[in-house]
């Protein structure tokens, strides 16, 4: 059954987190959704830590991790489009079963010291089948709150939840891999995906109505990537992903190089704490400046924050630098998702979100791969150059194509969106 529209009351006109969470039926998909979305951020770091333990090479571990990340990024938009067309449960139920099975296969191969080619072959379906829970939750909010003043609050709430996902997931995976068993992170990832995903899929009352198969050449058949602003945002998210990937592999190597591998979780937790604090604040503030302007301020600050990472030669210095980077990630990440709400029409909503989450995953994989190669060749500190390089390159693109992020009503959306085959939706303020 499709979600009801505008499930709010007049008392909820004052948008806030409390009013949002009291929306009828919200907790039925929020709680299992939160559980099921954690594996999204656990996959690449879980693979990295397991393969590094079994091979002793950060470069090899980064390559396998990146293969899964690339597959996840490439197949995520297809998953989103199929969910829009046929319904979330139809896509999700077989997807989580396949994912759990392929993760199990990859884990067994790694523990059996299988050759690299076998690990790469197994990593492709493991990444490709990663469920896109976050975009599905966003689509459910949009279906329930269409036209409600709570819609901007929902956009902010989901951005903060995404922050928690990219923070809690890697910390949990790292703690399990270093404190329990090298394979424990992936085992937990598969279990959470299967259990959380199946519970989420059963909440059919809140899922958006399936759009069905569109006619060939119609507006609904076009990809969300045809919106210019989505392409720009995907590149900025790619840069943010390199921060996650580069920090994960570099902190792992740095603590191991100093003879304190058990402190890896603490170091990443410090980075995570900054991310969480900034995420909560950004989601709660009623911004008066436009989302475009906020992104153009926040992203350069993120680039500057990554600059001193490579020079940190002691754990306290690294912890402080990581905290600063964490504080600077949230404003950019949240604002990027906020802009999608303004730029993308409803017919391509889930797919658009998967392009952004997929870009983060792809950047995470690329950051882990490049960082691993640099670490193997030149030492742990050089891996911290990856977050700087990735965000700096993305910033160049962002500044050069920043006009694509400015919604201009019918004149711009009609020319830049409808002309490319995607229908128009009036922008909704999420400031």
């Amino acid at each position: 059954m499709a979600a009801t529209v505008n499930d709010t009351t007049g008392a909820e006109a004052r948008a806030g987190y409390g009013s949002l969470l009291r929306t009828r039926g919200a907790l039925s998909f929020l709680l299992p959704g939160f559980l099921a979305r954690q594996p999204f951020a656990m996959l690449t770091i879980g693979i990295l830590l397991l393969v590094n333990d079994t091979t002793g090479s950060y470069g090899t571990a980064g390559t396998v991790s990146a293969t899964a990340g690339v597959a996840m990024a490439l197949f995520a938009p297809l998953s989103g489009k199929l969910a829009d067309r046929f319904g979330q449960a139809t896509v999700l139920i077989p997807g989580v079963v396949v994912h759990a099975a392929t993760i199990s296969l990859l884990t067994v191969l790694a523990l059996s010291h299988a050759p690299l080619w076998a690990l790469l072959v197994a990593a492709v379906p493991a990444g490709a089948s990663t469920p896109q829970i976050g975009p599905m939750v966003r689509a459910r909010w949009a279906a329930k709150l269409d036209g409600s003043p709570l819609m901007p609050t929902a956009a902010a709430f989901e951005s903060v939840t995404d922050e928690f996902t990219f923070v809690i997931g890697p910390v949990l995976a790292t703690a399990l891999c270093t404190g329990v068993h090298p394979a424990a992170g992936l085992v937990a990832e598969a279990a959470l995906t299967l259990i959380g995903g199946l519970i989420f899929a059963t909440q059919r009352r809140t899922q958006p109505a399936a759009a069905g198969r569109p006619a060939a050449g119609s507006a609904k058949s076009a990809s969300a990537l045809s919106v210019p602003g989505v392409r720009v945002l995907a590149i900025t998210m790619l840069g943010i992903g390199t921060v996650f990937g580069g920090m994960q592999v570099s902190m792992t190597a740095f603590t191991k190089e100093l003879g304190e591998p058990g402190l890896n979780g603490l170091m990443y937790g410090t980075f995570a704490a900054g991310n969480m604090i900034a995420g909560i604040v950004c989601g709660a503030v009623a911004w008066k400046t436009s989302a475009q302007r906020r992104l153009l301020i926040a992203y350069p600050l993120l680039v500057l924050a990554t600059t001193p990472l490579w020079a940190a030669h002691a754990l306290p210095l690294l912890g402080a630098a990581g905290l600063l980077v964490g504080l600077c990630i949230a404003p950019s990440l949240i604002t990027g998702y906020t802009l999608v709400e303004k730029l993308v029409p409803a017919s391509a909503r889930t797919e658009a979100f998967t392009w952004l989450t997929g870009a983060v995953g792809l950047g995470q994989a690329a950051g882990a791969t490049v960082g691993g190669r640099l670490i193997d060749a030149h030492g742990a500190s050089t891996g911290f150059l990856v977050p700087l390089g990735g965000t700096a390159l993305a910033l160049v693109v962002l500044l050069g194509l920043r006009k694509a992020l400015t919604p201009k009503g019918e004149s711009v959306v009609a020319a830049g969106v409808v002309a490319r085959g995607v229908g128009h939706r009036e922008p909704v303020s999420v400031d």
Side-chain angles (χ1 to χ4, degrees):
M1 181 183 296
T4 57
V5 179
N6 203 2
D7 258 351
T8 58
T9 67
E12 292 172 330
R14 293 183 299 173
Y17 288 138
S19 298
L20 182 72
L21 295 178
R22 287 192 295 271
T23 300
R24 189 183 320 132
L27 293 181
S28 68
F29 65 84
L30 281 182
L31 296 179
F34 182 79
L35 178 68
R37 74 204 300 172
Q38 298 310 310
F40 183 86
M42 296 174 66
L43 178 63
T44 54
I45 184 63
I47 294 174
L48 177 73
L49 294 172
L50 174 59
V51 176
N52 174 250
D53 182 81
T54 58
T55 65
S57 170
Y58 285 102
T60 299
T63 299
V64 179
S65 176
T67 300
V70 170
M72 178 170 58
L74 293 179
F75 281 85
L78 175 61
S79 174
K81 178 170 282 191
L82 291 175
D84 281 333
R85 182 177 299 178
F86 300 111
Q88 295 181 359
T90 303
V91 175
L92 191 56
I93 292 175
V96 296
V97 174
V98 170
H99 184 73
T102 53
I103 287 295
S104 300
L105 174 62
L106 178 59
T107 302
V108 171
L109 289 173
L111 293 175
S112 302
H113 301 280
L116 177 60
W117 67 265
L119 297 177
L120 295 177
V121 169
V124 172
S129 59
T130 304
Q132 301 301 311
I133 301 295
M136 290 183 181
V137 173
R138 288 176 180 270
R140 293 191 184 214
W141 276 126
K144 289 188 74 67
L145 301 176
D146 189 19
S148 165
L150 284 177
M151 191 58 220
T153 308
F157 180 83
E158 283 307 307
S159 294
V160 173
T161 306
D162 283 333
E163 288 292 322
F164 282 127
T165 298
F166 285 109
V167 167
I168 295 174
V171 171
L172 177 60
T174 299
L176 290 171
C177 289
T178 58
V180 179
H181 187 277
L186 282 184
V187 172
E189 191 271 352
L192 287 172
T193 297
L194 185 61
I195 297 172
L198 290 177
I199 295 175
F200 181 81
T202 61
Q203 308 304 312
R204 295 176 181 267
R205 292 178 60 87
T206 57
Q207 75 172 0
R213 188 183 298 275
S218 69
K220 291 184 178 180
S221 67
S223 170
L225 202 61
S226 61
V227 180
V230 172
R231 297 196 293 269
V232 176
L233 290 173
I235 293 174
T236 64
M237 294 298 170
L238 191 69
I240 291 175
T242 65
V243 179
F244 287 113
M247 293 290 280
Q248 287 170 3
V249 68
S250 300
M251 283 184 165
T252 300
F254 190 84
T255 53
K256 188 174 183 179
E257 190 175 89
L258 293 182
E260 298 286 353
L263 293 179
N264 180 37
L266 177 62
M267 289 293 100
Y268 198 85
T270 303
F271 163 67
N275 211 348
M276 281 195 257
I277 293 170
I280 293 171
V281 172
C282 287
V285 171
W287 298 98
K288 295 182 178 180
T289 57
S290 68
Q292 305 90 288
R293 182 177 177 83
R294 297 202 309 270
L295 184 61
L296 292 173
I297 294 173
Y299 213 85
L301 292 176
L302 174 60
V303 177
L304 289 175
T306 62
T307 303
L309 285 171
W310 68 273
H313 297 296
L315 290 177
L317 292 176
L318 178 60
L323 177 65
L324 178 62
V325 173
L327 288 170
C328 292
I329 283 183
S332 295
L333 192 61
I334 289 176
T335 307
Y337 279 104
T338 296
L339 280 166
V340 168
E341 289 285 343
K342 290 187 171 185
L343 297 169
V344 180
S347 61
R349 183 177 293 133
T350 306
E351 184 197 353
F353 288 131
T354 57
W355 276 112
L356 266 62
T357 55
V360 174
L362 181 60
Q364 187 176 21
T369 301
V370 177
R373 296 297 181 186
L374 288 174
I375 290 167
D376 282 345
H378 305 291
S381 294
T382 58
F384 289 114
L385 292 173
V386 172
L388 173 59
T391 53
L393 290 174
L395 177 60
V396 172
V397 175
L398 174 62
L399 294 177
L401 302 177
R402 61 187 180 275
K403 291 184 178 179
L405 301 179
T406 305
K408 296 181 180 178
E410 291 287 347
S411 60
V412 169
V413 178
V417 179
V418 177
R420 291 167 172 79
V422 180
H424 169 63
R425 175 172 69 96
E426 284 295 332
V428 179
S429 175
V430 293
D431 291 326

